[in-house]
């Protein structure tokens, strides 16, 4: 295994982006059945991502640095906001509400992207500095994302 | 362990104070153009042209950029601006007072007004740069945005210093080489500050909003350095009359600007999202105007016939100050403002209006179409002041629409907040 912690998680962000772009496109075309399949794939991948960070990465960071109330708390809060928007997306999809889906999608996308930017440019590098190259941790993260 | 300020988002009123004032100046710029088209199209050296340029550059562009930076720094580089509430209040007041004084000075209020404007703007922007500079110095984010923003801040400092020197010269306090300093002041402001800032922000927001691939890191890192080096060479060459050095500098600046515009258009062409929203059109319009500005500036620099000098100077100004930067600014505002409204409301509890419920598409689309038509007419104004005057009127109209769109967002925010009870406790990280 050669990829770093930051690379593995960043790659997974990109994979999730692509899954979302597909769901958004299908919904935009009014192909709701396919949009539903794509949205499920996207939210399932995101659920694995968020919970891997919350149960594996963040606790390791918190234990290594002793920082609990700081950046990881903010990230967890934004995860909850994302989950709430996933719920709104599913509801709009069930109602075949094109405008509602697009609006919830836009909001979710901006929130997710600014969240990912903060992780990729700041939190993941901080994790790598704090945790060094911990092969076991990297393996648990990679397993959690699969 | 470095302090990571991942959620020190300033209060909503800090950036919005700037955003809400900018359209007023934008509309004022259009009006001034309409009333003084003859003088503005005739020469870039007329006092009316200087007044108009500063209404756009300070009242509109710097206004939005200064507000947006306070909001973007925690997200883009993980470092909050110290004392952000106070800073927003003071720098907003100072920027607007200073711009008013400066515009009055250019429109004939008298030399002492230049000195007063210079003093107010110097004090305000020194305080602003002090706080933002501290935030940038503390930041430890990886990626190409941080160095770009640092160079932009340095260039803003240089622009302010040059502008203050010019104000002393025009205020008849100190004798300075006005023409050379004007060239340097404009180049450092537009390429060193504004374009570097746009680039640094684009590295974050273009992939973010349009799901494009990231900017290639070597290009993204080289661009601000190239702008800085080009400005350095050009600045060294201009006052000394050392043409070869200045020419190399100018070539570097033109190449870097074209590379940025081309790279961005290329990335957006490979976007994973259908690029049909207003922001995508704002980017296209803005980048095309940027390329046109480089084309007319290059022709000017490479030695056009003397009869074309004044028209090309006018066109460079139209494409950069009235075309490129205002378009990019509107595109950003239509993403930032609805998101901020949602963000601040969602912290109060469930039921926050989503982004499309805050402004919607028709209003922004109306602004962009009007703005594009205004730029076409303003450019055609090179042939007749009457066309320039009508372009100015359309530009004013487009900024009125921008102001109305932002007012709608504010009223949605106020109504929603009134209708929501405080459900959640304060979000983590907020003071
Ligand atoms: Fe996360
Ligand atoms: Fe993540």
């Amino acid at each position: 295994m050669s990829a770093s912690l930051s690379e593995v998680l960043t790659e997974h962000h990109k994979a999730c982006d692509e899954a979302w772009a597909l769901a958004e496109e299908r919904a935009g075309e009014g192909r709701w059945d396919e949009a539903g399949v794509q949205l499920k794939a996207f939210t399932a991948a995101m659920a694995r991502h968020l919970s891997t960070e919350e149960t594996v990465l963040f606790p390791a960071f918190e234990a290594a640095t002793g920082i609990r109330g700081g950046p990881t708390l903010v990230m967890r809060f934004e995860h909850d906001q994302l989950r709430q928007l996933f719920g709104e997306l599913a509801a709009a999809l069930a109602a075949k509400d094109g405008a509602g889906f697009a609006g919830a999608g836009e909001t979710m996308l901006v929130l997710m992207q600014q969240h990912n930017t903060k992780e990729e440019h700041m939190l993941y590098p901080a994790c790598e500095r704090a945790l060094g190259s911990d092969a076991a941790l990297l393996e648990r993260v990679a397993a959690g994302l699969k | 362990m470095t302090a990571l300020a991942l959620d020190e988002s300033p209060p909503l009123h800090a950036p919005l104070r700037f955003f809400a004032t900018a359209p007023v100046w934008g509309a004022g710029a259009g009006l001034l153009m309409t009333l003084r088209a003859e003088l503005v199209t005739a020469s870039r050296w007329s006092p009316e042209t200087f007044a108009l340029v500063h209404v756009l550059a300070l009242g509109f562009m710097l206004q939005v950029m200064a507000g947006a930076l306070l909001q973007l720094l925690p997200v883009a580089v993980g470092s909050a601006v110290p004392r952000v509430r106070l800073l927003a209040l003071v720098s907003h007041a100072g920027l607007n007072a200073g711009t008013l004084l400066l515009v009055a000075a250019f429109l004939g209020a008298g030399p002492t007004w230049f000195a007063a404007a210079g003093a107010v703007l110097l004090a305000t922007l020194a305080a602003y740069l002090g706080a933002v500079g501290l935030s940038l110095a503390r930041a430890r984010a990886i990626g190409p945005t941080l160095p770009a923003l640092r160079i932009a801040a340095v260039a803003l400092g240089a622009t302010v210093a040059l502008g203050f020197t010019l104000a002393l010269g025009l205020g008849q306090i100190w004798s300075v080489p006005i023409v050379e300093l004007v060239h340097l002041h404009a180049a450092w402001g537009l390429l060193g500050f504004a374009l570097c800032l746009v680039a640094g922000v684009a590295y974050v927001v273009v992939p973010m909003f349009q799901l494009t691939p990231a900017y290639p890191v070597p290009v993204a890192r080289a661009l601000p350095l190239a702008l800085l080096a080009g400005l350095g060479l050009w600045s060294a060459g201009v006052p000394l009359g050392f043409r070869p050095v200045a020419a190399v500098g100018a070539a570097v600046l033109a190449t870097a600007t074209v590379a940025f515009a081309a790279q961005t258009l290329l990335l957006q062409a490979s976007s994973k999202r259908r690029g049909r929203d207003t922001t995508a059109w704002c980017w296209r319009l803005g980048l095309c105007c940027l390329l046109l500005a480089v084309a007319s500036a290059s022709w000017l620099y490479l030695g056009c016939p003397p009869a074309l000098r004044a028209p090309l100077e006018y066109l460079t100004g139209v494409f950069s100050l009235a075309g490129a930067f205002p378009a990019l600014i509107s595109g950003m505002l239509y993403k930032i403002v609805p998101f901020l409204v949602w963000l601040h409301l969602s912290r109060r509890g469930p039921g926050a209006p989503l982004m499309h419920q805050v402004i919607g598409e028709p209003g922004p689309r109306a602004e962009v179409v009007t703005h594009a038509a205004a730029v076409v007419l303003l450019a055609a104004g090179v042939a007749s002041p009457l066309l320039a005057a009508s372009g100015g009127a359309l530009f004013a109209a487009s900024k009125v629409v921008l102001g109305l769109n932002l007012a709608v967002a504010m009223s949605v925010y106020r109504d929603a907040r009134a209708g929501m009870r405080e459900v959640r406790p304060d979000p983590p990280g907020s003071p």
Side-chain angles (χ1 to χ4, degrees), chain A residues 27-49:
Chain A
E29 294 159 354
R31 291 154 71 177
W32 291 109
D33 290 345
E34 289 167 57
V37 174
Q38 298 298 345
L39 183 67
K40 275 228 177 67
F42 165 69
T43 47
M46 281 303 289
R48 292 196 298 278
H49 187 95

Side-chain angles (χ1 to χ4, degrees), chain A residues 30-118:
Chain A
R31 291 154 71 177
W32 291 109
D33 290 345
E34 289 167 57
V37 174
Q38 298 298 345
L39 183 67
K40 275 228 177 67
F42 165 69
T43 47
M46 281 303 289
R48 292 196 298 278
H49 187 95
L50 304 183
S51 77
T52 302
E53 288 180 346
E54 288 168 2
T55 60
V56 182
L57 182 66
F58 296 170
F61 175 82
E62 287 157 357
T65 61
I67 303 172
R68 252 160 252 278
T72 50
L73 186 65
V74 179
M75 295 295 104
R76 287 174 200 272
F77 179 76
E78 291 185 348
H79 286 183
D80 287 343
Q81 287 183 303
L82 280 170
R83 290 190 179 100
Q84 203 174 319
L85 287 167
F86 296 157
E88 299 201 29
L89 279 169
L93 184 116
K96 299 193 164 89
D97 171 6
F101 190 88
E106 181 78 33
T107 314
M108 184 284 297
L109 182 66
V110 177
L111 178 68
M112 176 172 80
Q113 294 299 319
Q114 62 93 38
H115 176 85
N116 291 353
T117 301
K118 291 188 283 195

Side-chain angles (χ1 to χ4, degrees), chain B residues 382-400:
Chain B
V382 85
S384 116
L386 194 65
L387 289 171
S390 34
L394 267 188
F395 187 87
S398 76
K399 295 307 157 259
V400 170

